[in-house]
Amino acid sequence: MTDLTLTANKVNSNNMLRRDVRFLGNILGEVLVHQGGNELLNIVEKIRELSKSLRAVFLPELYEEFKQLINTLNPEIRHQVIRAFAIYFQLVNIAEQNHRIRRKRDYERSAGESIQPGSIESVIMELKERKVSEEQLQEIIESISLELVITAHPTEAMRRAILDIHKRIADDVTMLDNPTLTHREREQLRDKLLNEVITLWQTDELRDRKPTVLDEVRNGLFYFNETLFDVLPDVYHELERCLDKYYPSGGWHVPTYLRFGSWIGGDRDGNPSVTHDVTWETLKMQRTLAIRKYEERLKSLFRTLSFSTSIVSVSEELLSSIAEDSRNVTLTHAGFWNNEKEPYRIKLIYMFEKLNNILDESTKGTMQRYNTPLEFLEDLKIIDRSLRHHFADYVSDTYVKKLIRQVELFGFHMATLDIRQHSKEHENAMTEILANMNIVDNYSSLSEEEKIELLNQLLNDPRPLISEYIQYSESTTEVLNVYRIVYDAQKEFGEKCITSYLISMAEAASDVLEVMLLAKEVGLFRKEKGKVQCTLQAVPLFETVDDLHAAPAIMKTLFDLPIYRSAVEAMNDLQEIMLGYSDSNKDGGAFTANWELRMALKELTATAKNYDVKLKFFHGRGGALGRGGMPLNRSILAQPPHTIGGGIKITEQGEVLSSRYSVQGIAYRSLEQATSALIQAAMLARTPHTDLYESKWKDLMESISQASLKKYQDLIFRDPDFMTFFKESTPLPEIGELNIGSRPSKRKNSDRFEDLRAIPWVFAWTQSRYLLPAWYAAGTGLQSFYQGKEENMETMRHMYQHYSFFQSMIDSLQMALAKADLVIAKEYAGMIKDETIRERIFTQIEEEFKLTSSLILQITGQEDILDNVPVIQESIRLRNPYVDPLSYMQVELLEELRALRENGEDDTVLLREVLLTINGIAAGLRNTG
């Protein structure tokens, strides 16, 4: 295909996106007239036109007219106007999602001439062209590992009911591309979409209560049910297809390298609703979904595998397994198949029965059920071998092979569940347990050295510390019950159901050893004949800048202890370590947090290498820029290549889940790009020269980071008026009233900055258009080196061109600056009562914004921010005029609501409108927290 044709296709593709946006916008216009009359539509259009005009040219008189129009809206009309803009963004987001799928299909239609960048085929073809041998490629494929962990972090502002409507609209919009539709079918499709948008208009966007933990579990399982169960094996299939195409003699069966885990129902840090009973119920819900999905597949296979022994000769192995089943399995759920000449169907009947019996406690341990996924897998492989025995290879490849892969990926537990708890909870429990046993009166008061010595001694001592005759406090009992549940779960659901225990705010080696000692008390860690058996790993979570600095020394202390090193050996010499992007950013600002995380990755890897330990880094990224958010493939490639040898884990949460995994096509593309990035990163790890630039500029980066850190902490931690500025100029207090998560917004019931969670911190700054956590203080850091010297600017330009980490940092800052809007932010600052505080701090923020923007343009050589990514630049430019009215209305509503509350009054309707603007701005900016 010629470049001219490709360009024409791109233009045509963009025109189709505009077509969809216009089409959905027109339908929304009809709904507005239908629901609110021409008056509503005219007001919405007037506000939209004024907002667009203000964005084009800021004129004071136009600004006053715009504000006057918004301020004079009566409450009923204002409510509808807010919803009109919010729903418009929902429809635009659907159109953009569908457009991503359309673009992928466009590439695939031209396959053979053009292979899509970032695809699995593109990276395998590149390796072939670079003459990477089959043996080298085999090593790469066996070394890669990615686990994506869904969490219930409250950053998804939309209800499940709304997301379900979105999915139906998305499916209908996809049909618009069908060239075979008749005129009548198009009219019917339009009517269907009109009805869906009316349903959307008449469905409440807001939850009337906070979701329970089990509600969140159901929401998480939605993605497994709707997309991941089918999409994940498709990604594996594509990788094997490409390997067979370019390396045909490999006989490829790709090992499990990509899978999903979950925190939902296991993350109890600061969430008292996550009890041991809830964790058990979560595991049961996950297993039930896995069984139901397998039953669906068996029913489908039953319809397909109608092969008759009158025509084909099936394997003796299959016939023997049927005979064994007939002796051991009583058919009660599946019925009986009378046609003896259709052995596959007879076998599937027994398999269905054994699957169903897994949920029946009375069959536990018997041959009436599958007691492990391996037993189910073996039956599927018997069918697979038999089909190939009579040359039905295509049938097996199409239907059975995918189910085999699904069992390998999801087992009977669906997703590995991580447990997380705050380090202080373990210390408190340990203090009580040791005091009850008269080992030490006050464990908490011991020095770190004394704690390590004692914990090491107790780990090596086979005698128990817990007695069933001692009554412990409620909190210690719950801590112990969690470990008991993990032990029982591994027996009931398989060892893979829970393997990691994450420790929030891990600040010392003793925090990790406490978890190991508690695990020992229930049998998850034990010494048998001098050899350590361990089925649960303690995973430290290093979150603050100080924690990141201390991390290498903490891990060295642990690895130096023979008992701990033996526990790591029992986990295949693999140690998992989690790094917190949100709290490190909150603690040190964007530039410093990213630099410190990178240094921690490298130093921890070097430390572990000295002990022949591989590290699996768990990156606690959020969706927003201020919490490490970026596309999945970029987040993989952003790691120093030599640090990924033990595998990568990444959190996927909130709006990231719905944007990446609610639609099959987008889920597939995201996971395909992730696979491509993993293979690229593994290849880069084999070329050590990739770190040359880092060593060259390490001292310079360190000095920039230190200057940035001081500037950031001078404002956030050392300015006594900062918290007043933050609370009064953002919707922070009201965000807590948006029922989007079961977890409280603070770790403790306090107003201290340290106790505020990172999610509402970022959420509030995003809503008020500052996006401060994603860029503040970076300019001062860069200026500390530049100092007006052209030769220093040339150095930074050179770094931007050749040093990938620096380039990634600058481009992330560009994205944050482009989404921020200090003209709008100044409206929010107007809510601050103390004019002196308002002017002083806002001026400081504004000056830093201008400095950062100016330096980035000089470094990149661009005329405008985001000139390097014109698609995103254009998207932000087009969205802003629609977001702006919501921001202005939010400020007005907040002022009204807060004035009422100061007088001891309240207004639920007013609060509802505030929360609607929060939803709308979140949809418009495509970021919440």
Side-chain angles (χ1 to χ4, degrees), residues 425-452:
E425 296 294 325
H426 310 130
E427 183 181 310
N428 292 342
M430 193 59 64
T431 300
E432 182 179 349
I433 290 166
L434 296 179
N436 276 326
M437 294 297 287
N438 294 319
I439 292 173
V440 59
D441 289 338
N442 189 353
Y443 168 80
S444 291
S445 67
L446 298 180
S447 69
E448 175 63 9
E449 291 73 19
E450 290 170 326
K451 286 179 179 177
I452 290 171

Side-chain angles (χ1 to χ4, degrees), residues 616-759:
K616 176 194 281 187
F617 285 109
F618 188 174
H619 302 273
R621 292 181 179 274
L625 292 165
R627 299 183 55 239
M630 60 174 64
L632 185 54
N633 58 327
R634 276 184 53 206
S635 68
I636 293 166
L637 291 171
Q639 311 313 318
H642 70 282
T643 67
I644 67 168
I648 304 175
K649 280 175 79 170
I650 301 174
T651 49
E652 296 279 63
Q653 53 194 254
E655 79 281 4
V656 172
L657 280 172
S658 59
S659 65
R660 282 186 190 157
Y661 304 116
S662 59
V663 178
Q664 287 208 1
I666 291 173
Y668 178 88
R669 178 61 176 155
S670 182
L671 297 174
E672 178 190 40
Q673 288 177 314
T675 297
S676 177
L678 273 176
I679 295 170
Q680 286 181 60
M683 195 64 204
L684 286 171
R686 286 159 169 73
T687 52
H689 67 272
T690 53
D691 274 354
L692 285 177
Y693 286 119
E694 187 133 291
S695 57
K696 179 180 179 181
W697 287 313
K698 182 180 177 183
D699 291 343
L700 170 55
M701 290 293 291
E702 186 65 38
S703 69
I704 292 173
S705 172
Q706 286 303 312
S708 179
L709 177 64
K710 182 180 183 304
K711 175 71 173 178
Y712 179 86
Q713 293 191 337
D714 279 347
L715 175 63
I716 310 300
F717 291 97
R718 292 185 277 273
D719 191 314
D721 299 319
F722 173 73
M723 280 303 285
T724 299
F725 182 93
F726 174 47
K727 287 179 183 176
E728 293 185 11
S729 75
T730 72
L732 176 70
E734 292 74 21
I735 285 169
E737 299 180 70
L738 193 64
N739 294 321
I740 58 175
S742 67
R743 193 174 70 170
S745 62
K746 300 171 186 174
R747 281 196 166 95
K748 301 172 187 173
N749 188 22
S750 85
D751 288 329
R752 294 189 331 133
F753 175 76
E754 290 79 2
D755 294 325
L756 175 68
R757 289 190 178 276
I759 289 169

